[in-house]
Amino acid sequence: MSSIEDVTIHGPHGPIPIRVYDPGEPSGAALLWAHGGGFRHGDLDMRESDMVAAEISRRAGALVVAVGYRLAVGGVRHPVPVDDVHAAWQWMTGKYQPVTAGIGGASAGAALALASALRSRDENERDGGGWDENERGDVVRDGGARDGGGRAPDTILLAYPFLHFPNPGPYEHGVEEMVRNYVGRISDVPADAFPGHARLEGLPPVHVLLSENDHLRPSGELIVRQLHEAGVAATVFVAAGTAHGHLNRPLEDTGVAESLEFLAAGLARGRRRWIRRDGPPRIEFGADYNPEQWPPETWPEDVRLMREAGVTVVSLGIFSWARLEPAEGQWDFGWLDEVMDLLHSHGILVDLATPTASPPPWLTRRHPEILPVDRHGHTVGPGARQHWRPTSPVFREHALRLVRAVATRYGGHPALTAWHISNELGCHNVYDFSDDAAVAFRSWLRDRYRTLDALNHAWGTAFWSQRYGDWAEILPPRLLGGAGNPTQALDFKRFSSDALRDHLRAERAVLRELTPDVPVTTNFMVAGPINEMDYADWASGVDFVANDHYVRPGPQARDELSFSANLTGNIAGGRPWFLMEHSTGAVNWQPVNVPKRRGELARDSLTHVAHGADGVCFFQWRQSRAGAEKYHSAMLPHGGVSSAVFRDVADLGARLAALSAVSGLSRTRASAAILVDADSWWAAEQDSHPTSRLDYRGEALNWYSTFLDLGVRADVVPAGGDWSGYRLVVAPILHVVPQRLRDRLENYVHGGGHLLATYFSGTVDENDHLWPGGYPGALRDLLGVRVEEFAPLLDGETVTLSDGTAATVWTERVTVTDPAVEVLLTYPDGGPAVTRRALRAGSAAYTSCVLPADGRKPVLDDLLRRAGVSSELPVALRGRVEPAVRGPVWFLINRTDEPVDLADVDGATGELPARGVVVLL
């Protein structure tokens, strides 16, 4: 915390004490926070005010203002506390002019915060503004004042809120007495006092934290349902094992840390912005542009042809460090000045990179200690790219100096639309085993475990005499003579993802210091087998999510593209995101690099748009003549403007320009979801397991393909996100299930949700320790089955199930433990293979084997029917066409190589071409 300052401001009823928490990092976000206390207790020193405000400030990197509103004592009653909170809101937004402004509170303070937000909404609507989705899908004010008193919040945080009277839960005299004290009566209670009774349309996204064991929890659950009905985005998190007011008990309640993370993440999500530009909504179109590879006389032709192709934005300078700083401290910006000016003069925006992805030769010669070290102890040499250690303090110093120089020079350039931090962080250097990494790993472990005893317990070091007596004894999991410690390996994967995320944050801090109004992103790699980075954890650190995706040949290539685009959209919280790179044709890094067939360039791009992309860019603009990527396709190929590729590029540019009505629309949530969990992916595929043949991503993709085969939309969502509102949730190989996730799954099913878990799920906790009592561990009681032994299959071996289909790779010896369990499929010996346990309105199903496609389809079809989920497509289109929805806009994507008749589709005419996409506006 950089500073904490007590201030007194003027309000309509006199002075109001506030406390300002400044993190010292100019993120551009601010939050007003109101404590609880039944409207008549509490102050700025209580933990629910002081500790919560400080922690949200630290975790979100945001300025937080805690307000000491007047309490309902000594004759003070509603609306005085609301007036004080609203006055503090106006003061904060007027004084600091934050890029993103949030308001929140706990319990009674949540009611005051929501009442103030509703006042701001109403004030703006009277001024001709109001909250709406802008062209980027962010909920923002549509017109009206943006200063002082006219500012409405970008996000709302409500902790165990008390928003309704009568309370929808059981009657309690104490609640009635509290309302009478606050309002003066219990009849005709004004909506401004308990805003759960107010009109909720037009609010920004709301994030609701609930205590599990709380007599007021029904109020929080009701407000979430009301918000969804009003068309307001709302997420909810239930802190397991906690009681009302648990933020006041940080030492006693174990759910406090997770609760604070949820609130901080909610504020960070509210901070997300889109690229900086003027003009009407549109879908951006462009590519990486590397003018340094070409003589200056080529640049005007490039820009002319970009305009001809419909290009609106380029990513610039990604690998230009050696050109910008040819020797330490010597800068050459002239060429980049010329390119920036040229692009701006032709109306092309610049997503300007911090060119830290590839250190120049002079830096690695002077400082070879920045080079990564592999697990064998070999130093990775320069000559490719990303030859730097994420934890090297020397590299960090030089990289941030470069970022500062670039931001200082170009932060005010009119072409600048966003900052592009580095490039594909971790693509080649995610796992570093150097001494720098060892030091950083120990520091990370200290933060995670605090004591060596806790670490020794988590790592199970009693096994094989591995117990540590000093932090200095701990090393990264380098080359070993046998199987290593599995928890150490899992923690090293977590650490490595965090180390790259921390580098992202370090560059971001410099950019926000110098250019707080310019949005920041970096290009993720949500694609295929790439799993080293936990992007769901990274997403709060960027202003908008960007992704690179390249198709990998195979029978599920098109489904995998859709799966990755779908997951990217949900990592982005359903908001629009940016496809930073994909290819117009062949790449250069696969064993066989095949070109795209006719129609695939547009279909691939539009599939990303269907799942939320509002920017479509390629690698790269002009195909290289030299270097490792000279055979990688580009928008302007070696064949030039007369090529089929360039014609297809120009056609796509025109088509995207005609889809401006899609821009800014959020993804429309499906009724079913597939959970993806980084810890489970990392842990399930480690060595020393029953089989090395498990394919986590492949299992998840197989279920996604089955949804598509049935014509049913399904979202791919991070397991740590909000999936409580889906009717059916599939959890493939959810191997790592901590207690909190176990509680969430049980609450989901007992609340009426339908869960399908697959084999090897629920097996271990967050420390990779087996849950006792038999498999599937944490999910055993919920599923009503017990597995005594895993029975993986040898390569080529199959087991025929009772429906005639053949299971492969994995089977289990399952025993039913609850008479409510229904056996859907059996093994040859009669043992259960697929089961379903009904619980009240919900259910929990289990597949104990790897089902083939013809086995998955009837199982999923049956479970969907019981969950009340059906296809939105005509019967003739199911399996042949993928539907995707953004607001009122439908995308119909042909999964086949044959035309599809659309006669049965409302609003459509004719045929859907082979490998084509139809957009129904």
Side-chain angles (χ1 to χ4, degrees):
M1 186 63 56
S2 178
S3 67
I4 301 176
E5 181 183 8
D6 286 327
V7 178
T8 299
I9 65 172
H10 297 292
H13 306 286
I16 305 171
I18 63 171
R19 185 169 294 169
V20 180
Y21 300 78
D22 186 348
E25 179 187 356
S27 68
L31 171 72
L32 182 74
W33 180 256
H35 64 78
F39 303 104
R40 58 181 171 186
H41 302 291
D43 54 36
L44 293 176
D45 293 322
M46 67 188 296
R47 289 173 174 174
E48 198 175 68
S49 180
D50 184 60
M51 182 277 294
V52 171
E55 281 297 305
I56 292 177
S57 177
R58 180 181 69 84
R59 294 167 188 251
L63 182 136
V64 177
V65 175
V67 53
Y69 56 87
R70 283 170 174 76
L71 302 176
V73 295
V76 173
R77 284 184 172 155
H78 172 270
V80 172
V82 180
D83 294 342
D84 281 358
V85 170
H86 196 55
W89 167 259
Q90 293 174 322
W91 176 86
M92 182 190 78
T93 55
K95 177 176 177 61
Y96 295 105
Q97 296 285 312
V99 175
T100 299
I103 191 169
S107 191
L112 301 175
L114 185 54
S116 175
L118 290 168
R119 284 191 185 183
S120 295
R121 178 205 61 188
D122 294 344
E123 290 165 358
N124 282 293
E125 287 179 350
R126 287 193 297 270
D127 291 341
W131 279 104
D132 201 352
E133 286 190 346
N134 72 352
E135 67 269 19
R136 297 298 120 217
D138 297 320
V139 182
V140 297
R141 277 205 65 235
D142 177 22
R146 282 295 279 178
D147 57 1
R151 179 71 181 267
D154 300 288
T155 190
I156 300 172
L157 311 179
L158 305 177
Y160 36 86
F162 176 35
L163 304 171
H164 303 86
F165 184 79
N167 178 40
Y171 171 78
E172 289 194 13
H173 176 74
V175 171
E176 182 176 307
E177 191 276 333
M178 177 173 59
V179 174
R180 195 182 297 277
N181 177 74
Y182 173 46
V183 181
R185 60 186 184 277
I186 59 171
S187 62
D188 192 26
V189 175
D192 195 40
F194 291 94
H197 304 289
R199 180 176 64 88
L200 300 174
E201 287 83 3
L203 286 174
V206 181
H207 307 277
V208 182
L209 166 68
L210 301 178
S211 302
E212 181 181 20
N213 306 311
D214 181 3
H215 64 289
L216 294 178
R217 176 175 168 181
S219 181
E221 293 173 332
L222 177 57
I223 197 66
V224 172
R225 297 195 299 272
Q226 290 175 307
L227 290 165
H228 285 159
E229 184 176 87
V232 177
T235 59
V236 63
F237 171 67
V238 180
T242 62
H244 187 83
H246 69 269
L247 293 177
N248 259 324
R249 299 180 294 275
L251 301 180
E252 295 84 0
D253 273 311
T254 57
V256 169
E258 292 87 351
S259 298
L260 292 169
E261 280 297 320
F262 173 76
L263 294 173
L267 181 60
R269 281 193 291 270
R271 190 174 63 219
R272 291 187 193 170
R273 296 171 282 164
W274 189 245
I275 64 172
R276 187 178 62 168
R277 60 171 290 267
D278 298 321
R282 70 185 184 193
I283 295 177
E284 304 298 334
F285 184 52
D288 289 4
Y289 182 38
N290 300 291
E292 63 271 26
Q293 297 180 15
W294 300 92
E297 53 267 26
T298 306
W299 301 344
E301 180 190 22
D302 280 336
V303 175
R304 178 181 63 80
L305 293 176
M306 286 179 190
R307 297 306 299 156
E308 182 178 322
V311 168
T312 64
V313 63
V314 295
S315 295
L316 188 65
I318 293 173
F319 294 108
S320 63
W321 191 344
R323 182 75 183 267
L324 290 174
E325 190 181 14
E328 184 171 4
Q330 298 180 17
W331 302 99
D332 179 11
F333 290 114
W335 68 276
L336 189 53
D337 291 348
E338 184 177 346
V339 173
M340 292 280 288
D341 292 345
L342 180 64
L343 290 164
H344 176 62
S345 68
H346 287 77
I348 297 172
L349 302 172
V350 174
D351 169 45
L352 186 59
T354 61
T356 55
S358 189
W362 62 260
L363 180 55
T364 54
R365 181 175 64 84
R366 289 190 180 186
H367 297 285
E369 68 272 22
I370 74 169
L371 296 171
V373 176
D374 68 15
R375 67 170 59 249
H376 298 272
H378 300 146
T379 299
V380 176
R385 62 178 184 172
Q386 288 192 339
H387 40 279
W388 52 275
R389 304 175 183 177
T391 58
S392 166
V394 175
F395 177 79
R396 182 74 58 86
E397 176 185 356
H398 284 270
L400 296 187
R401 181 172 51 82
L402 172 67
V403 172
R404 185 170 294 275
V406 172
T408 299
R409 188 168 189 93
Y410 298 108
H413 198 285
L416 180 65
T417 193
W419 291 116
H420 180 307
I421 289 181
S422 194
N423 185 70
E424 295 182 338
L425 285 163
C427 185
H428 302 288
N429 64 341
V430 59
Y431 296 133
D432 170 41
F433 299 86
S434 67
D435 290 341
D436 283 338
V439 171
F441 186 38
R442 294 182 198 115
S443 177
W444 184 91
L445 292 169
R446 280 178 179 269
D447 288 342
R448 181 175 179 85
Y449 295 111
R450 303 298 180 186
T451 68
L452 277 172
D453 284 345
L455 178 139
N456 280 310
H457 170 74
W459 284 17
T461 56
F463 184 80
W464 280 356
S465 187
Q466 294 176 350
R467 184 171 182 82
Y468 294 98
D470 192 295
W471 291 100
E473 297 167 359
I474 301 172
L475 296 171
R478 294 167 175 164
L479 182 65
L480 304 172
N485 185 306
T487 313
Q488 178 191 24
L490 178 58
D491 272 347
F492 189 71
K493 290 176 181 178
R494 292 165 170 158
F495 154 75
S496 297
S497 177
D498 286 356
L500 287 164
R501 182 201 62 192
D502 290 348
H503 182 86
L504 166 66
R505 290 176 173 177
E507 291 200 23
R508 181 196 67 188
V510 174
L511 296 171
R512 286 186 172 163
E513 172 194 343
L514 298 174
T515 58
D517 60 330
V518 181
V520 173
T521 193
T522 191
N523 44 340
F524 295 171
M525 295 177 290
V526 180
I530 299 172
N531 77 331
E532 293 85 357
M533 285 67 66
D534 184 0
Y535 290 127
D537 181 54
W538 288 27
S540 63
V542 294
D543 290 312
F544 60 91
V545 167
N547 194 54
D548 294 356
H549 185 275
Y550 292 94
V551 175
R552 298 167 188 263
Q556 290 177 283
R558 205 222 63 82
D559 289 355
E560 193 285 322
L561 184 155
S562 175
F563 180 99
S564 293
N566 190 321
L567 176 56
T568 303
N570 284 293
I571 288 174
R575 297 182 180 184
W577 52 278
F578 206 107
L579 178 62
M580 196 66 76
E581 289 184 24
H582 69 316
S583 68
T584 59
V587 296
N588 67 296
W589 43 266
Q590 295 173 353
V592 179
N593 298 295
V594 296
K596 292 188 175 182
R597 296 177 295 172
R598 293 306 303 271
E600 289 184 333
L601 185 153
R603 184 201 62 191
D604 292 354
S605 298
L606 290 171
T607 300
H608 287 287
V609 174
H611 287 287
D614 270 6
V616 174
C617 289
F618 295 94
F619 177 84
Q620 56 180 324
W621 164 247
R622 183 185 284 269
Q623 193 169 10
S624 299
R625 291 185 60 195
E629 293 179 315
K630 60 180 176 290
Y631 294 115
H632 193 295
S633 59
M635 295 179 79
L636 182 60
H638 294 147
V641 296
S642 61
S643 65
V645 168
F646 187 77
R647 289 194 297 271
D648 288 346
V649 163
D651 289 345
L652 176 62
R655 189 167 183 186
L656 292 175
L659 293 178
S660 59
V662 176
S663 176
L665 296 176
S666 296
R667 298 181 74 256
T668 298
R669 178 181 262 206
S671 296
I674 298 172
L675 300 188
V676 174
D677 179 58
D679 273 359
S680 291
W681 193 350
W682 290 334
E685 295 184 356
Q686 293 197 130
D687 60 17
S688 304
H689 278 192
T691 181
S692 62
R693 301 297 192 257
L694 281 191
D695 181 358
Y696 178 93
R697 174 73 175 231
E699 181 70 13
L701 177 59
N702 284 341
W703 286 102
Y704 187 74
S705 290
T706 305
F707 274 107
L708 295 178
D709 290 342
L710 293 168
V712 175
R713 291 191 300 122
D715 292 339
V716 185
V717 300
D722 178 24
W723 33 266
S724 59
Y726 292 99
R727 296 192 60 82
L728 175 71
V729 168
V730 178
I733 316 182
L734 191 60
H735 184 61
V736 179
V737 179
Q739 182 64 50
R740 183 166 68 87
L741 180 54
R742 176 184 185 174
D743 293 338
R744 291 185 66 199
L745 291 165
E746 290 180 349
N747 290 337
Y748 169 73
V749 172
H750 287 292
H754 298 269
L755 173 69
L756 169 61
T758 77
Y759 57 93
F760 214 34
S761 289
T763 314
V764 299
D765 64 13
E766 67 273 18
N767 296 321
D768 203 19
H769 292 191
L770 287 166
W771 282 90
Y775 319 120
L779 305 181
R780 186 179 59 250
D781 294 339
L782 180 63
L783 296 168
V785 299
R786 185 171 184 267
V787 176
E788 292 191 9
E789 194 170 19
F790 299 131
L793 303 177
L794 297 173
D795 291 347
E797 185 180 4
T798 63
V799 172
T800 301
L801 303 177
S802 55
D803 65 348
T805 61
T808 61
V809 181
W810 185 282
T811 64
E812 296 174 351
R813 293 168 183 170
V814 180
T815 301
V816 171
T817 60
D818 187 322
V821 170
E822 177 186 0
V823 177
L824 304 181
L825 290 177
T826 61
Y827 291 114
D829 62 1
V834 180
T835 62
R836 178 181 184 271
R837 178 182 179 229
L839 295 93
R840 302 176 190 167
S843 69
Y846 186 60
T847 64
S848 65
C849 56
V850 177
L851 294 171
D854 56 347
R856 286 191 306 272
K857 189 172 181 180
V859 167
L860 184 58
D861 191 31
D862 180 38
L863 296 176
L864 285 167
R865 177 182 56 80
R866 300 191 198 207
V869 179
S870 60
S871 174
E872 299 153 296
L873 293 174
V875 174
L877 271 63
R878 296 174 189 177
R880 304 170 67 195
V881 173
E882 176 192 349
V885 188
R886 294 180 63 177
V889 179
W890 278 73
F891 292 77
L892 301 178
I893 306 163
N894 195 337
R895 300 176 70 211
T896 76
D897 293 333
E898 302 294 333
V900 175
D901 188 355
L902 298 180
D904 293 334
V905 178
D906 291 341
T909 58
E911 289 185 332
L912 173 57
R915 301 185 291 276
V917 179
V918 166
V919 184
L920 303 178
L921 296 171

